[in-house]
Amino acid sequence: MTTRALRTTTALTLVASLLAWDSLSHAAAQIAIIVHHDNPVRDLPLATLRRLYFGQTTTFSNGERVVLLECTPLQAAFYRKTLGMSPELLHRHWIGLVFQGEDAIPPQPLPDDESVKRFVAEHPGAIGFVDVRTADATVKVLTVNGRAPGDANYPLR
């Protein structure tokens, strides 16, 4: 094998390893549910979170219209942990709701945690999910079933 071929093979192996590590880190990521600071909600029962992402509940307790967001790299883990389904099955569910003329608006996909945080910080009705390590003071992190991210019994571990 030539030196150039060896370098190319080594570079490709490194890239593949980094991509695999990145996808594993997202698969193992602990998910935080975030809302705008002015949102009065502090805790969501898991059942309410499910109703929101199934389009069965479309407003918060203060009457604010819910704007659902999804962080694309975390969507598979979130939907598996929260709804027990794949993003594809949820997408089909939303297509059915839209064709039935339901009032609910499907989750808006955003490319990364930073985009979700920025949108939530700027829109009082927004709710989304991010890797807990990226949550900061620009948004409010909710507890789920009374458990905070980091708690051993947090449902989105």
Side-chain angles (χ1 to χ4, degrees), residues 43-52 78 81-83 143-146 155-156:
D43 178 70
L44 274 180
L46 187 57
T48 301
L49 187 59
R50 286 181 179 135
R51 283 195 306 275
L52 287 168
F78 175 77
K81 292 175 183 181
T82 307
L83 307 175
T143 57
V144 178
N145 287 349
L156 303 179

Side-chain angles (χ1 to χ4, degrees), residues 5-21:
L6 183 58
R7 274 192 234 150
T8 301
T9 301
T10 302
L12 290 173
T13 302
L14 179 60
V15 168
S17 296
L18 288 173
L19 288 172
W21 178 85

Side-chain angles (χ1 to χ4, degrees), residues 15 19-20 38 44 47 61 65 71 75 81 84 88 90-91 98 102 104 115 120 127 130 132 147 154:
V15 168
L19 288 172
D38 292 340
L44 274 180
S61 59
R65 176 90 175 161
C71 178
Q75 67 176 220
K81 292 175 183 181
E88 294 78 19
L90 185 65
H91 180 72
V98 169
E102 296 293 327
S115 300
V120 167
I127 183 169
V130 296
V132 71
R147 305 289 184 168
Y154 182 66

Side-chain angles (χ1 to χ4, degrees), residues 67-89:
V67 178
L68 298 170
L69 304 173
E70 60 182 26
C71 178
T72 302
L74 296 174
Q75 67 176 220
F78 175 77
Y79 291 136
R80 180 178 37 78
K81 292 175 183 181
T82 307
L83 307 175
M85 62 179 20
S86 69
E88 294 78 19
L89 285 176

Side-chain angles (χ1 to χ4, degrees), residues 14-36:
L14 179 60
V15 168
S17 296
L18 288 173
L19 288 172
W21 178 85
D22 185 54
S23 74
L24 284 175
S25 70
H26 277 302
Q30 189 171 353
I31 297 169
I33 305 302
I34 59 171
V35 295
H36 190 275

